[in-house]
Amino acid sequence: MLSGSFLITLGSFAVLPYMSVLLHDRFGFGLGVVGVVLAVASLVQFSGGVVGAALAARIGLRATMLVALAVRTAGFAAFVPGLTRPVVAVAALFLVSCGAALYLPANKAYLVAGCGPERRPGLLAASGSAFNAGIALGPPAAAPFVLTSPGGLFTGVAVLFALVGAGHALLPSVADERVGDERVEKGRVVGGRAEDGRAEEGRVEEGQRVGEDRGVGSGAVAGRHLPPFAFTVLAVYVFMFFQHYLALYAVPRTSTAFYGTVLMGYAILLVVAQPLFAHRLAALPYAVALRLGFGAMASGTAVLALGGRAGIAVGAVLLCLGEIVLFLKNDLEALDRSTAPSATVFGRQRLAAGLGAFAAAVIGGQLYGVAERASAVPVFWVVVSAQAVVLPALLVVCVAGAARRRTGGEPVAARLPR
């Protein structure tokens, strides 16, 4: 499964990062049209995860992955005739996006099926590292062939996906799990019931309920009240400003070679560090992880505003740490709280990521344009940094207000067991 994850992103990112070049330079699409096509394709790839989860619930995890890989194989193969037919090329891009939407929830759910909470963080982190390793190596591997022999590149990627699909056909069938139902620790509530089966708010031991964070002081919002879906939207929203606009900012101030080195270092750090920190992140209280993650993103984007090689390099490292903390912890928290099948949880998380990415694409372009016209591009990163601080804080305030209304006006922390 991990090898397949690496090969899938290796093949995908041998093609997808160059789509803007192909659509604009080869087919003559205007940049505005190119932006709309790529934005819609990205939204389909992310938000379609809920469809992938529904399909997994109906036909099973392995069958869903096989369907998804068949769709992606057909999509990459369709790029070959699409080289002379723009409409076919756009259709091929959407086929590839639909395949990704169907595949990822089932992939993650299959990976953690049958694993207890002690193994789940390491497996999800290893899966993320495998995906990111493919993302890092795909573009440079394909660079010599994109413009000189794109037909051969698309054919090779289609063959690679066909082989990966054949490998998936050899996997055993496994049932999806309802992670929230498992009895993970003595004294914790299981699926909303006490361990003896009596329906009640929850019998606890040592003052701990599922999803609650230890060490929450008076006046704070309990970690169990903080919604992973909403914080995933915010985390991806902030991160995608960096993803979309670092190149525009960094290349004119440094060089293409330095920018490429930063991206390679970012990928290496992500691949190595996420599995190393996985179990520590799993043990962190959710509220603490949110403060660390958004704090790292806020600091990283603020440092980017300084410009220069040092500012861009340090900012990228901080943003990488923020991604490591927030992306993994939000998935783990969503799994721990839900009694839905794992594929459904991952599908919802993909939808949250899609909403965040789409909002960043729409708002980021306007903000960057304003900053560029005002000859104050570093201010763009200051605004992003402020959002990384203000938006999570506003969400916490809203959650606290809603929790107080549910509890009749009593402060949330006052109801936590001491």
Side-chain angles (χ1 to χ4, degrees):
M1 287 294 292
L2 295 177
S3 299
S5 296
F6 168 73
L7 292 174
I8 284 170
T9 50
L10 178 70
S12 298
F13 279 80
V15 173
L16 298 180
Y18 300 105
M19 285 310 301
S20 59
V21 176
L22 292 172
L23 294 174
H24 181 58
D25 293 347
R26 189 178 186 93
F27 300 134
F29 287 7
L31 288 175
V33 175
V34 170
V36 170
V37 169
L38 295 180
V40 174
S42 297
L43 185 61
V44 169
Q45 180 172 330
F46 281 103
S47 61
V50 294
V51 179
L55 183 64
R58 177 171 289 272
I59 68 174
L61 298 177
R62 187 185 66 164
T64 299
M65 289 190 289
L66 290 174
V67 170
L69 289 169
V71 170
R72 296 194 87 180
T73 302
F76 284 114
F79 274 120
V80 178
L83 289 172
T84 56
R85 299 182 183 127
V87 174
V88 176
V90 173
L93 176 61
F94 283 108
L95 270 179
V96 170
S97 298
C98 289
L102 296 176
Y103 181 81
L104 285 167
N107 169 271
K108 286 188 173 182
Y110 189 99
L111 193 66
V112 301
C115 301
E118 70 285 347
R119 293 185 60 203
R120 197 176 301 130
L123 286 170
L124 289 178
S127 175
S129 292
F131 275 114
N132 282 294
I135 291 171
L137 294 177
F145 311 105
V146 170
L147 297 179
T148 58
S149 55
L153 174 64
F154 292 136
T155 301
V157 172
V159 170
L160 174 64
F161 269 83
L163 293 174
V164 172
H168 278 60
L170 301 176
L171 293 172
S173 295
V174 299
D176 199 358
E177 291 186 327
R178 297 177 181 270
V179 173
D181 284 342
E182 64 190 6
R183 301 172 185 270
V184 297
E185 184 176 334
K186 183 179 179 181
R188 290 195 172 193
V189 179
V190 181
R193 293 178 177 270
E195 287 194 87
D196 60 4
R198 289 179 289 108
E200 54 181 271
E201 180 181 354
R203 181 164 55 86
V204 298
E205 180 171 303
E206 297 180 1
Q208 185 76 355
R209 291 191 181 95
V210 171
E212 285 188 3
D213 291 326
R214 296 186 187 273
V216 178
S218 178
V221 180
R224 66 191 175 93
H225 290 287
L226 301 174
F229 182 93
F231 282 105
T232 298
V233 173
L234 290 183
V236 175
Y237 170 74
V238 173
F239 174 76
M240 292 307 288
F241 284 102
F242 168 76
Q243 185 86 342
H244 288 319
Y245 301 106
L246 181 64
L248 288 175
Y249 180 73
V251 171
R253 289 165 176 78
T254 56
S255 67
T256 304
F258 179 79
Y259 172 67
T261 302
V262 168
L263 289 188
M264 183 177 296
Y266 187 101
I268 292 172
L269 178 60
L270 193 62
V271 168
V272 173
Q274 195 167 49
L276 290 178
F277 294 126
H279 291 286
R280 294 183 182 180
L281 287 176
L284 269 184
Y286 189 42
V288 174
L290 291 175
R291 286 194 290 270
L292 288 175
F294 281 108
M297 286 192 173
S299 302
T301 47
V303 172
L304 286 177
L306 300 176
R309 294 174 182 265
I312 291 170
V314 173
V317 169
L318 289 170
L319 278 152
C320 183
L321 295 176
E323 179 185 352
I324 289 170
V325 173
L326 290 176
F327 288 17
L328 178 59
K329 187 64 175 179
N330 281 330
D331 277 357
L332 291 172
E333 196 71 17
L335 275 177
D336 287 344
R337 296 183 187 200
S338 178
T339 57
S342 300
T344 300
V345 176
F346 288 124
R348 292 169 183 164
Q349 289 297 100
R350 291 287 294 175
L351 173 59
L355 295 174
F358 189 78
V362 172
I363 296 171
Q366 301 298 321
L367 287 178
Y368 200 92
V370 170
E372 195 172 51
R373 287 191 293 272
S375 299
V377 174
V379 176
F380 169 82
W381 297 111
V382 175
V383 172
V384 176
S385 178
Q387 291 184 89
V389 174
V390 173
L391 293 179
L394 286 176
L395 181 56
V396 169
V397 170
C398 292
V399 169
R404 281 196 295 270
R405 287 191 293 273
R406 287 197 301 270
T407 56
E410 184 179 351
V412 177
R415 286 182 170 263
L416 292 182
R418 298 302 183 203

